[in-house]
Amino acid sequence: MATTASTRRQFLSLLGLSAVAVSCGTTAGAASGKGQTKTLRYQGWAGQVTLPELAEDLGYLEDVKLKWVGNTISGPQDIQSAATGQVDFGGAFNGAVVKLAANNAPIKAVISYYGSDKYAYNGFYVLKDSPIRSARDLIGKKVGMNTLGAHSEAMLDIYLQRGGLSRAEIAKAEPLVVPPVNTEQTLRQKQIDVAVLGGILRDKALAAGGIRPLFTDYELLGAFSAGTYVMTDRFLKQNPDTARIFVTAVGRAIEWSRSTPREEVVARMTDIVKKRGRNEDTAPLRYWRSYGVAEKAGLITGKEFQLWIDWLADRGDIKKGQVTSSDLYTNAFNGNQKSSSTAKSGS
């Protein structure tokens, strides 16, 4: 089950090849001619309420409707689906967005949708009696996460680097793909040594006891927006008004979740999950506390991409200078930007 550094690079290369293959892809959901689509196809997350789903329930999407086409457990898979036109928007860790764009995928990040703060963060957890106490203790150990080449692996790399490990030693830590809903159980059964847990799954596991944090991404980097929703350049060109409604609505939903009492947000999310009738467990929703987006209304800043551009270049996954952060995103479709001076529009 060991995952070597070359295997990780192979995963990222496949991600890139997929992007090249669809660089001239179509957007099936876009209406032809002057008409703009009013239906946005998307993938959800089992047992969770995404910001677009919350925005729709709050009435912020106006006459635009969401069409759920299934669930995903991986950000890279979600944005690949957006790049190929299987869905109209997808969300992923910003490093995965950088990698896809570096391989000529016709995508643009339009709004941040998740991040890390004191409430919303990803933690790397071990069993309470585990001998693992430091970065060096992770050599030869299995670390379970939802996908490779994305947020969790980036945090692991940064932690190991800061722990003084060489590149060869870092390669001996073994990131493994484990579905989020199974990660806690897999750790407790000792099939992995470390489990990456976030959001309601993390808090549910902590409430059960018997685990402790090794480190968190919030401890590593402080508060930061970590992932963005992307749309294809073609979709944005053909459906600018729809894109503006969508992005602005998601930004409003972020601010609603910040300013509304947590109990009310949880109640609304629980109602949304029940109404969609997918036989999902709503109990974990009571642990929700924040989406973790750092900037107001999800506005994007260049620094949120530059960190991962440098990380990928250091790993050799992209060439230095291959990607410019300002080319990766735009705030032009976010109608909330006038009220913030902290974020500037990308190209």
Side-chain angles (χ1 to χ4, degrees), residues 216-227:
T216 72
D217 52 11
Y218 179 58
E219 290 171 349
L220 280 181
L221 300 175
F224 67 101
S225 292

Side-chain angles (χ1 to χ4, degrees), residues 11-284:
F11 169 85
L12 288 166
S13 296
L14 288 172
L15 178 62
L17 289 171
S18 173
V20 172
V22 302
S23 61
C24 297
T26 62
T27 305
S32 60
K34 295 182 179 180
Q36 296 185 37
T37 184
K38 294 295 183 180
T39 300
L40 297 176
R41 297 159 302 141
Y42 78 103
Q43 296 182 114
W45 289 79
Q48 300 181 38
V49 175
T50 65
L51 278 163
E53 290 169 334
L54 179 61
E56 182 178 49
D57 194 69
L58 290 166
Y60 295 162
L61 281 177
E62 301 175 19
D63 60 343
V64 174
K65 303 295 182 185
L66 298 180
K67 182 179 180 180
W68 176 73
V69 298
N71 287 329
T72 183
I73 60 167
S74 160
Q77 185 277 331
D78 200 27
I79 60 173
Q80 283 187 73
S81 294
T84 57
Q86 294 172 281
V87 294
D88 297 310
F89 66 87
F93 162 61
N94 285 334
V97 175
V98 171
K99 181 62 181 178
L100 202 57
N103 287 278
N104 301 317
I107 56 170
K108 191 81 74 177
V110 291
I111 189 168
S112 295
Y113 74 98
Y114 87 90
S116 294
D117 61 19
K118 62 182 178 180
Y119 300 120
Y121 57 87
N122 283 317
F124 286 63
Y125 292 90
V126 297
L127 295 176
K128 224 156 204 178
D129 60 357
S130 169
I132 298 173
R133 298 280 176 180
S134 69
R136 190 157 294 279
D137 293 334
L138 290 178
I139 294 175
K141 298 298 190 293
K142 298 178 174 65
V143 184
M145 56 188 65
N146 73 314
T147 190
L148 302 184
H151 183 112
S152 296
E153 190 175 358
M155 296 304 136
L156 178 61
D157 270 7
I158 291 172
Y159 176 73
L160 295 174
Q161 287 170 6
R162 291 186 181 180
L165 274 68
S166 67
R167 180 56 63 186
E169 289 172 328
I170 289 173
K172 293 178 182 177
E174 302 177 11
L176 301 173
V177 175
V178 182
V181 294
N182 301 127
T183 306
E184 176 191 352
Q185 180 184 9
T186 305
L187 175 66
R188 295 188 188 279
Q189 292 176 343
K190 299 184 178 182
Q191 294 174 291
I192 55 177
D193 303 291
V194 185
V196 182
L197 298 167
I200 56 180
L201 296 176
R202 176 202 66 222
D203 290 342
K204 181 173 177 287
L206 287 172
I211 63 173
R212 59 177 171 81
L214 181 61
F215 70 94
T216 72
D217 52 11
Y218 179 58
E219 290 171 349
L220 280 181
L221 300 175
F224 67 101
S225 292
T228 46
Y229 283 128
V230 303
M231 290 177 154
T232 62
D233 295 332
R234 178 174 180 145
F235 185 92
L236 292 171
K237 183 178 181 179
Q238 292 183 342
N239 304 279
D241 297 332
T242 299
R244 191 167 292 107
I245 290 171
F246 169 76
V247 175
T248 301
V250 171
R252 289 181 66 191
I254 290 170
E255 293 309 310
W256 180 87
S257 73
R258 288 196 224 270
S259 61
T260 304
R262 190 182 74 87
E263 294 75 14
E264 186 177 333
V265 178
V266 170
R268 187 132 200 164
M269 288 179 169
T270 301
D271 185 56
I272 291 170
V273 171
K274 287 180 178 178
K275 284 191 298 185
R276 64 194 189 197
R278 299 176 198 161
N279 196 30
E280 299 163 281
D281 181 13
T282 61

Side-chain angles (χ1 to χ4, degrees), residues 264-319:
E264 186 177 333
V265 178
V266 170
R268 187 132 200 164
M269 288 179 169
T270 301
D271 185 56
I272 291 170
V273 171
K274 287 180 178 178
K275 284 191 298 185
R276 64 194 189 197
R278 299 176 198 161
N279 196 30
E280 299 163 281
D281 181 13
T282 61
L285 289 171
R286 70 178 182 271
Y287 297 104
W288 181 92
R289 299 179 76 182
S290 170
Y291 282 105
V293 178
E295 300 293 340
K296 181 170 182 178
L299 289 159
I300 304 170
T301 65
K303 66 181 182 181
E304 294 162 0
F305 282 101
Q306 192 60 49
L307 175 66
W308 310 118
I309 291 173
D310 295 341
W311 175 67
L312 287 164
D314 181 63
R315 286 164 54 98
D317 294 319
I318 64 172
K319 296 177 182 178

